[in-house]
Amino acid sequence: MTKANLSLNGTDYEFDVIVGSEGEVGVDFSSLRKTAKAISYDPAFGSTGACSSAITFINGEKGILRYRGYAIEDLAENSTFEEVMFLLVKGELPNAAQLKAFKSQLAEHAEIPDALVEQYKALPKTLHPMAALSSIMVSLSGYYPTTGDEDQDIIRLLAKMKAFVALGYRQSKGQDFVQSKNGENYIADFVEMMFGKTSPALEQAFDQLLILHADHEQNCSASTVRMVGSSQANLYASIASGVNALWGPRHGGANQKVIEMLEMIQNDGGDASKYLSKAQDKSDEFRLMGFGHRVYKNFDPRAKIIKIAADEVLDDLGLDNDETLDIAKALEKAALEEEYFKARNLYPNVDFYSGIIYRALGIPTDMFTVMFALGRLPGWIAQWKEWNAEPKSRIHRPRQIYTGPTERKVNPISER
Ligand code: ACO
């Protein structure tokens, strides 16, 4: 095994080098504090690996994303979301018999208790759907206490999640919730529970969107799920924490922010160039939502696929002349041409196009991130399961460099 050397305060230390199956190199600093009395300092973890994982591989420079070795392009074209759920959670693509059994398990657990529907309805109408989803998720531990049968708990969660999304959507439209009727066909069932009807175009769009969002290795929400799971909080609590982490505009919440930004530009006269300048002005906090990515510094492979789907959906719905979408196209064009964006490798990411599709489908903006969560669920579960299966798993507990005052005495209040 290759070694890495570190010289600190005149002493040399040696660390193991670990190499992943795609040649990724990591220095194992887990003994750094014990041996060198120092910690690795990497706020935001840009150079830190928190685990080794066999689930998802990303090469951000080359725009590669693979789930368990299968390219995202291949999966989007040649598999279904049900197969991808199976792949992520169980490790391999299913054969025909396995898929049949998986579908019937999903159907068996697809309904949700009426009490849970009532609980959702009782939540304040002003509550963001991500907050509602997170609270429902934690409540599941009351309805279905974890049994110790991990596979059973996982199937139940995978099967029911689409009902919570449909419930939130129908609630936002003032419509009654409809239980699953066709649970063996996950996507068709979901589309019917949402819109009361389905079509091949809708099913294809949702199938692709969910596949593209299914996992993304150690991003903010997946790391949160692992972090919370490492305390041995149960599956539902761990996944609820992932929902909360996804909510923020720098993560999954960006798809909502994309449309809000496009509408803001439209209401301000539709001048995209004004906002392009604002995005480049360092004294201005404005950022182009749906642009840039921590890992992809070339292009987001999911965005390439979803851009085609977005064009098809807009074409299908006769929306190719929509004013908001014209602004989106102007921003996209600028990002490909203007020096600021080119120099920083800022391209539209998957959220840019998914927001556009959801808007075209009439999904309320604040529901966009909930759609993302539906897709991401199997990824979170796979990450949680992998962490749980780790024989040497310990609670996640980062260190810090303390920069506050050194020890001082509490003065009497009259002297402060
Ligand atoms: N608009 C304008 N400038 C940007 C943007 C943007 N969207 N994103 C990054 N930059 C600039 C930064 O100002 C910085 O410029 P500088 O080098 O001159 O200081 C440079 O590009 C690098 O930016 P960082 O913030 O260091 O990049 P980081 O990797 O930390 O952030 C992030 C990535 C959070 C995605 C960022 O690009 C961003 O805020 N994008 C908008 C929000 C968004 O779309 N989030 C969705 C992410 S994808 C997902 O979760 C599925």
Side-chain angles (χ1 to χ4, degrees):
M1 187 188 283
T2 325
K3 300 281 181 190
N5 299 306
L6 172 76
S7 182
L8 190 69
N9 294 332
T11 309
D12 291 334
Y13 301 93
E14 204 176 61
F15 298 94
D16 288 343
V17 170
I18 11 177
V19 182
S21 53
E22 289 284 350
E24 289 187 314
V25 177
V27 180
D28 181 353
F29 277 131
S30 52
S31 62
L32 181 63
R33 191 162 181 282
K34 213 175 191 175
T35 54
K37 308 270 179 292
I39 61 168
S40 61
Y41 181 69
D42 179 23
F45 315 129
S47 300
T48 295
C51 60
S52 50
S53 175
I55 303 170
T56 291
F57 172 69
I58 297 176
N59 180 323
E61 286 72 30
K62 293 188 181 155
I64 293 172
L65 169 60
R66 296 186 201 130
Y67 302 157
R68 301 207 184 265
Y70 297 102
I72 192 67
E73 295 82 357
D74 198 3
L75 290 167
E77 199 171 331
N78 298 311
S79 75
T80 63
F81 183 58
E82 284 149 320
E83 291 172 73
V84 167
M85 285 198 271
F86 190 99
L87 171 70
L88 287 170
V89 169
K90 296 191 182 276
E92 291 295 340
L93 280 171
N95 61 28
Q98 288 168 325
L99 184 61
K100 192 163 178 269
F102 184 59
K103 281 170 170 250
S104 80
Q105 283 180 310
L106 290 174
E108 189 190 329
H109 295 284
E111 285 198 10
I112 57 172
D114 291 342
L116 211 49
V117 178
E118 293 309 313
Q119 181 184 326
Y120 196 106
K121 284 187 188 161
L123 293 170
K125 299 286 169 281
T126 47
L127 193 65
H128 191 284
M130 284 298 273
L133 182 64
S134 148
S135 75
I136 288 288
M137 204 55 62
V138 183
S139 306
L140 282 179
S141 49
Y143 290 92
Y144 305 104
T146 38
T147 55
D149 179 350
E150 192 180 85
D151 287 342
Q152 170 83 0
D153 297 338
I154 289 173
I155 281 285
R156 190 179 273 140
L157 189 50
L158 286 173
K160 294 191 191 308
M161 179 75 160
K162 68 182 185 319
F164 304 135
V165 176
L167 175 59
Y169 171 75
R170 293 187 71 89
Q171 174 99 334
S172 71
K173 296 269 174 183
Q175 298 166 348
D176 285 339
F177 169 69
V178 189
Q179 289 281 6
S180 159
K181 291 197 187 95
N182 179 15
E184 298 213 1
N185 291 307
Y186 188 94
I187 296 290
D189 194 34
F190 170 60
V191 176
E192 277 172 7
M193 288 167 82
M194 292 277 284
F195 307 114
K197 58 179 189 266
T198 183
S199 75
L202 273 179
E203 285 178 32
Q204 200 195 333
F206 278 112
D207 204 35
Q208 286 222 330
L209 278 162
L210 298 183
I211 290 173
L212 296 181
H213 284 93
D215 195 51
H216 214 232
E217 51 115 309
Q218 306 313 315
N219 55 79
C220 176
S221 57
S223 304
T224 305
V225 169
R226 279 183 181 257
M227 169 78 95
V228 174
S230 82
S231 77
Q232 292 186 339
N234 66 38
L235 174 65
Y236 307 117
S238 306
I239 298 298
S241 69
V243 171
N244 292 325
L246 187 71
W247 185 5
R250 286 189 173 178
H251 193 10
N255 55 14
Q256 170 177 348
K257 295 288 169 198
V258 167
I259 296 301
E260 288 173 0
M261 173 188 75
L262 294 177
E263 288 175 350
M264 180 179 74
I265 299 175
Q266 189 183 346
N267 293 335
D268 191 23
D271 181 6
S273 60
K274 174 175 164 188
Y275 286 87
L276 286 162
S277 307
K278 274 165 77 64
Q280 299 173 44
D281 178 355
K282 293 293 162 203
S283 63
D284 192 322
E285 282 191 357
F286 177 77
R287 278 191 170 197
L288 282 186
M289 285 294 130
F291 281 73
H293 199 277
R294 168 58 63 82
V295 175
Y296 296 121
K297 298 299 179 194
N298 184 341
F299 65 91
D300 179 341
R302 303 165 301 172
K304 265 196 170 174
I305 303 168
I306 208 72
K307 179 176 160 39
I308 298 168
D311 287 343
E312 281 170 6
V313 169
L314 297 179
D315 204 35
D316 218 50
L317 297 171
L319 285 175
D320 32 0
N321 278 327
D322 183 282
E323 202 190 324
T324 315
L325 298 172
D326 289 345
I327 296 170
K329 283 180 194 152
L331 296 179
E332 183 190 27
K333 190 164 175 281
L336 300 175
E337 287 171 1
E338 285 192 22
E339 192 46 37
Y340 175 91
F341 299 97
K342 285 206 292 194
R344 290 167 181 76
N345 294 312
L346 296 171
Y347 300 92
N349 57 46
V350 66
D351 285 330
F352 187 72
Y353 298 106
S354 65
I356 289 172
I357 296 182
Y358 293 140
R359 178 179 181 273
L361 294 175
I363 295 174
T365 358
D366 63 359
M367 283 293 299
F368 288 6
T369 317
V370 175
M371 303 299 306
F372 188 157
L374 177 64
R376 184 53 57 86
L377 181 68
W380 287 332
I381 292 176
Q383 301 285 346
W384 179 87
K385 196 176 160 184
E386 188 177 70
W387 172 253
N388 253 357
E390 179 68 48
K392 286 186 285 181
S393 76
R394 297 171 73 205
I395 189 166
H396 278 205
R397 206 313 190 171
R399 297 267 178 179
Q400 65 170 14
I401 299 291
Y402 175 71
T403 57
T406 52
E407 187 176 12
R408 47 187 174 162
K409 291 268 179 258
V410 178
N411 290 334
I413 197 154
S414 56
E415 290 172 26
R416 280 182 239 157

